[in-house]
Amino acid sequence: FFLSLKLEKKTKGKLQKQICQVVLDHFEKQYTAELGDAWSSVRDVLTSPWCWQHALLLNRFSQCPGLESSLAEQGYHPAFPAALPYLPAAFRCYIRRTPGRFPAEKHQPGKLKGYYLLNAASLLPVLALEVKDGEDVLDLCAAPGGKSVAILQCACPGHFHCNEYDDLRSRWLEQTIESFIPDALINLIMVSKLDGRQIGDLQPEFYDKVLVDAPCSNDRSWLFSADPQQAVLRLMQRKELSSLQFQLLSSAIKALRPGGSLVYSTCTLSKAENSDVINLILSSCRNVMPVDISEMARGVSQEFTFLGGTQRHELLVLPEKGRAWGPMYVAKLKKMSST
């Protein structure tokens, strides 16, 4: 026990040193104004990596005998209740209330991994998208690939297009797909490195479902920027992100068939990158309607804490101790028929 306490102190000291003060100061000002009283408990979680939690998304394409019973012995339980409006039987995710990380599996060419470690909140955009077998699906900003893998745990799309503009991240995406998806299915997947802002013009009205997991200010990782100068640069460029997000969303709407739906998500608390972007799209695109996702939010409210006062078509997961998931913003829109 004393050894683990000592280790925890050592880890705390190590991690404490790495918090980037310039980012924390910036967040302090912005999020106190935007989140009010909720910010202090969120800040406590974001600045304390030893209380972060990890979920396991099981891979339906890989048999791991005994994995589920072993997880149950270690206090893990299914993350999503069967009562959700959309929860395919093959979609299995395990979490536990206590922090700590299940060992990651190494990449082995030719061998599929049994599970994907992730922040459980990042599965909410996938569940909100409600992909059905045979649909044409676009994951517009797909790296590192966790959401693409999760979509394939839910359904078998007719055509699945995973796009990642950044070269390094695109290679990471390809490796993720190789690690989780059997060759027979990989043939259904097209991985591209296009500028997401152009896909709508290149493939107008081609997709039934589009996921826009947009580049954003990643609150968790930005707080631990090792290089203060890079952090200052990031904070200066932060103002330009909402314009990029708006352009990506506009492109996604063009790529959608009439009647198709899209989900927009980020891993930031920032209002400018979340509801402001969605409100701008809703006011500037007359053929787009918000879709109510409050039933899904109610269904998972035991495991996730949400910011109050949001619209019915959006949710914002706030990390708190014991439920350290998020930040994750999710909004759902539908493209109306052109008539």
Side-chain angles (χ1 to χ4, degrees), residues 77-119:
H77 62 273
F80 299 103
L84 280 188
Y86 172 84
L87 191 76
F91 187 89
R92 289 168 304 156
C93 175
Y94 282 84
I95 58 174
R96 63 175 179 184
R97 282 283 163 92
T98 48
R101 189 179 179 134
F102 203 75
E105 295 177 295
K106 289 202 163 43
H107 176 68
Q108 292 177 287
K111 186 176 187 297
L112 293 181
K113 292 185 180 183
Y115 55 88
Y116 191 98
L117 289 175
L118 77 184
N119 183 324

Side-chain angles (χ1 to χ4, degrees), residues 308-334:
T310 56
Q311 302 289 309
R312 295 172 77 88
H313 61 271
E314 60 179 356
L315 55 87
L316 178 61
V317 179
L318 301 177
E320 65 169 35
K321 286 204 168 113
R323 303 198 285 190
W325 315 112
M328 179 60 53
Y329 175 79
V330 184
K332 187 169 184 178
L333 306 173
K334 181 174 179 155

Side-chain angles (χ1 to χ4, degrees), residues 256-270:
L256 263 185
R257 291 188 177 124
S261 50
L262 76 78
V263 167
Y264 173 75
S265 60
T266 73
C267 52
T268 179
L269 299 160
S270 173

Side-chain angles (χ1 to χ4, degrees), residues 189-334:
I189 303 169
M190 181 176 106
V191 178
S192 67
K193 289 192 272 196
L194 298 164
D195 182 335
R197 293 170 292 188
Q198 293 166 0
I199 287 181
D201 289 325
L202 294 170
Q203 297 180 305
E205 303 200 340
F206 190 83
Y207 297 98
D208 301 298
K209 301 276 165 76
V210 180
L211 175 63
V212 184
D213 185 41
C216 65
S217 30
N218 184 328
D219 295 353
R220 273 187 194 238
S221 68
W222 282 25
L223 273 168
F224 294 88
S225 307
D227 177 352
Q229 281 165 317
Q230 187 200 21
V232 170
L233 190 65
R234 272 178 172 169
L235 292 173
M236 281 163 62
Q237 292 169 338
R238 194 178 195 202
K239 297 179 186 72
E240 294 155 31
L241 277 169
S242 53
S243 160
L244 169 64
Q245 291 154 347
F246 178 81
Q247 291 171 325
L248 288 167
L249 261 177
S250 304
S251 172
I253 290 163
K254 281 183 187 171
L256 263 185
R257 291 188 177 124
S261 50
L262 76 78
V263 167
Y264 173 75
S265 60
T266 73
C267 52
T268 179
L269 299 160
S270 173
K271 187 171 166 287
E273 297 174 52
N274 294 340
S275 48
D276 287 358
V277 174
I278 291 295
N279 290 339
L280 189 57
I281 280 285
L282 287 170
S283 61
S284 59
C285 298
R286 299 188 51 186
N287 61 342
V288 174
M289 291 279 293
V291 178
D292 188 344
I293 53 170
S294 58
E295 197 187 334
M296 179 183 84
R298 266 196 309 278
V300 297
S301 58
Q302 286 238 282
E303 301 292 0
F304 299 94
T305 305
F306 297 109
L307 177 69
T310 56
Q311 302 289 309
R312 295 172 77 88
H313 61 271
E314 60 179 356
L315 55 87
L316 178 61
V317 179
L318 301 177
E320 65 169 35
K321 286 204 168 113
R323 303 198 285 190
W325 315 112
M328 179 60 53
Y329 175 79
V330 184
K332 187 169 184 178
L333 306 173
K334 181 174 179 155

